[in-house]
Amino acid sequence: MAVQTVASTTDSTVDLGPAAALSCRECGHRVPLGPVFACEECFGPLEIAYDFSAYDTEELRKRIEAGPANIWRYAPLLPVPADVATKPNINPGWTKLVKADNLARELGVTGGLYVKDDSGNPTHSFKDRVVAQAVEAARAFGYTTLSCSSTGNLAGAVGAAAARAGFRSCVFIPHDLEQGKVVMAAIYGGELVGIEGNYDDVNRFCSELIGDSAGEGWGFVNVNLRPYYAEGSKTLAYEICEQLGWEIPDQLVIPIASGSQLTKIDKGLQELIKLGLVEDKPYKIFGAQAEGCSPVSVAYKEGHDVVRPQKPNTIAKSLAIGNPADGPYVLDVARRTGGAVEDVTDEQVVDAIKLLARTEGIFAETAGGVTVGVTKKLIENGLIDPAKSVVVLNTGDGLKTLDAVAGTGLTATIRPNLESFREAGLA
């Protein structure tokens, strides 16, 4: 993959709030803010470095709590201009943190079990958070087209955000995605292109396009805008802690696709600690994968630092990234915090979807089935302490993955009379 450099873009030419520079996660080399995603020194991934030195803790807390009921309440901690809330954006975030007492009883959790239900976002997945950040970066860098490689949810989020913000969109997906996700990505009027192959094939194609003249003026939210895009996942950490009364939960279970969501949630928690917004306390982060695409889980269990790519074969298509970019960093977070990475079978995913729906009235997509299923497995294996608080992420709406539970249907078919009702054993 070619390293993207934009020599003309400097810190002084863009307004991205407290964002100060781009910093390499591997070697620490810093470069000016721009649409750059790989370090020119070591080819490591770049991420946003901030200047939070001027913030007073209590003033910042008051400012956040007085902010809008979306991710822009955290604008002082994000790579966005101060007036971001006044611009056309889909304004995701501030989704429900559900205290899941019924599910807790089923799983034997006594320390408090919560589901962060991100299906309440505008396009019904957490991807709205990351795309909202990318839109602001695209505006700053003068892009006219928004694009992405996607396993489905991101395609819909980009289509919706582009329509709202006045960008053209052209997104790329594997040709065999669930029909619900295809329709939801196409409905916003942008161009939707199916690629013959899996997500990793789609991603490789996008990397070629971004280096070609045909891709000029295109902001690929998860490639050349990736450092900004990825920061949207931090808002999950911010919201969870604020919704818990400015407290870090003891344990979090997070799905792994590229792995970026998990690593950025950890980054968000660390920022809250450094800013004094939460008490510094131990917490454990657990990663969740489907067995049919579990390269990070395999690496964790085998004690490896290198994540070997896999060919995905699972119903959890939103997590079906066989070569996850942040895989090694997920391993670092899990090991540093005392967590783990686990996987479940497709059958366990379906069972977990039904369990969450039956106990809490939350219909999760397959990724949510993965996190609930992994939570159950980790409790049974003694890796999650049921006497301590647990937050489980549901990152999307089950209406997007109906095929996974297609066998669910009518309890009975009866004639319109009481006799038939009683004969069916429903009385």
Side-chain angles (χ1 to χ4, degrees):
M1 182 184 296
V3 176
Q4 298 286 309
T5 59
V6 181
S8 62
T9 302
T10 66
D11 287 341
S12 61
T13 61
V14 294
D15 175 14
L16 290 174
L22 295 173
S23 176
C24 177
R25 227 188 297 188
E26 289 291 332
C27 71
H29 178 66
R30 289 166 72 103
V31 298
L33 295 172
V36 190
F37 62 94
C39 176
E40 59 191 5
E41 297 291 327
C42 73
F43 298 97
L46 297 174
E47 63 180 1
I48 308 294
Y50 294 93
D51 180 8
F52 294 147
S53 60
Y55 291 155
D56 173 82
T57 299
E58 290 310 311
E59 288 182 2
L60 178 59
R61 190 193 308 275
K62 290 177 182 176
R63 180 175 172 183
I64 289 171
E65 291 176 345
N70 55 53
I71 60 171
W72 305 132
R73 67 196 290 113
Y74 306 110
L77 308 179
L78 297 170
V80 293
D83 64 347
V84 61
T86 67
K87 298 180 179 180
N89 199 295
I90 53 177
N91 298 332
W94 204 244
T95 54
K96 293 179 181 179
L97 182 68
V98 179
K99 193 167 189 299
D101 292 337
N102 297 329
L103 180 60
R105 282 191 290 272
E106 289 263 353
L107 300 183
V109 175
T110 58
L113 177 61
Y114 301 84
V115 176
K116 181 58 171 170
D117 186 13
D118 240 28
S119 66
N121 278 310
T123 70
H124 307 288
S125 90
F126 94 96
K127 289 296 187 180
D128 290 325
R129 296 175 182 270
V130 289
V131 172
Q133 302 293 317
V135 165
E136 299 312 313
R139 282 194 180 110
F141 302 135
Y143 287 122
T144 56
T145 298
L146 285 183
S147 187
C148 68
S149 52
S150 174
T151 57
N153 284 328
L154 181 57
V158 168
R164 170 71 176 144
F167 287 85
R168 173 201 177 201
S169 69
C170 181
V171 301
F172 302 90
I173 60 173
H175 70 288
D176 59 350
L177 276 188
E178 302 99 329
Q179 186 61 22
K181 289 183 179 177
V182 172
V183 172
M184 190 161 190
I187 197 68
Y188 301 108
E191 293 155 298
L192 181 66
V193 181
I195 300 290
E196 295 178 359
N198 59 32
Y199 173 80
D200 297 298
D201 298 315
V202 179
N203 204 35
R204 279 191 293 272
F205 167 76
C206 289
S207 296
E208 291 180 25
L209 179 57
I210 207 171
D212 187 87
S213 59
E216 290 180 4
W218 288 40
F220 284 79
V221 301
N222 54 345
V223 188
N224 58 347
L225 296 177
R226 187 176 183 83
Y228 311 91
Y229 155 95
E231 294 293 282
S233 290
K234 294 192 313 182
T235 60
L236 281 161
Y238 299 158
E239 286 181 22
I240 289 168
C241 291
E242 185 179 356
Q243 289 168 328
L244 288 174
W246 293 107
E247 182 177 345
I248 297 176
D250 297 313
Q251 301 160 116
L252 299 97
V253 186
I254 304 167
I256 299 170
S258 72
S260 175
Q261 182 187 68
L262 185 149
T263 61
K264 293 306 180 185
I265 287 175
D266 177 63
K267 183 182 181 186
L269 295 175
Q270 291 296 311
E271 288 175 350
L272 292 179
I273 291 170
K274 290 174 184 176
L275 287 162
L277 290 169
V278 298
E279 179 186 352
D280 188 358
K281 56 171 273 189
Y283 60 88
K284 294 183 179 182
I285 289 183
F286 298 89
Q289 293 199 291
E291 187 179 275
C293 186
S294 55
V296 187
S297 176
V298 169
Y300 175 82
K301 292 176 183 178
E302 294 180 351
H304 295 160
D305 295 325
V306 176
V307 177
R308 293 184 177 180
Q310 293 182 354
K311 185 175 181 179
N313 182 22
T314 173
I315 62 171
K317 292 184 179 181
S318 62
L319 304 183
I321 297 180
N323 188 18
D326 277 37
Y329 302 107
V330 169
L331 295 173
D332 291 344
V333 170
R335 289 166 178 158
R336 191 194 79 237
T337 64
V341 185
E342 186 54 270
D343 56 76
V344 285
T345 66
D346 282 357
E347 182 179 3
Q348 290 171 316
V349 171
V350 173
D351 288 343
I353 291 171
K354 293 179 178 179
L355 174 63
L356 181 60
R358 173 173 59 81
T359 57
E360 299 297 340
I362 297 172
F363 184 19
E365 71 160 20
T366 48
V370 170
T371 53
V372 173
V374 163
T375 300
K376 182 175 185 291
K377 188 173 181 179
L378 291 170
I379 292 170
E380 292 170 348
N381 292 343
L383 294 176
I384 282 182
D385 185 347
K388 295 184 176 180
S389 62
V390 186
V391 172
V392 179
L393 267 67
N394 172 44
T395 53
D397 194 317
L399 292 174
K400 294 187 173 194
T401 55
L402 288 172
D403 289 351
V405 289
T408 307
L410 296 173
T411 301
T413 300
I414 66 172
R415 298 181 299 279
N417 58 59
L418 289 173
E419 181 182 1
S420 181
F421 174 74
R422 292 190 176 99
E423 287 174 354
L426 299 173

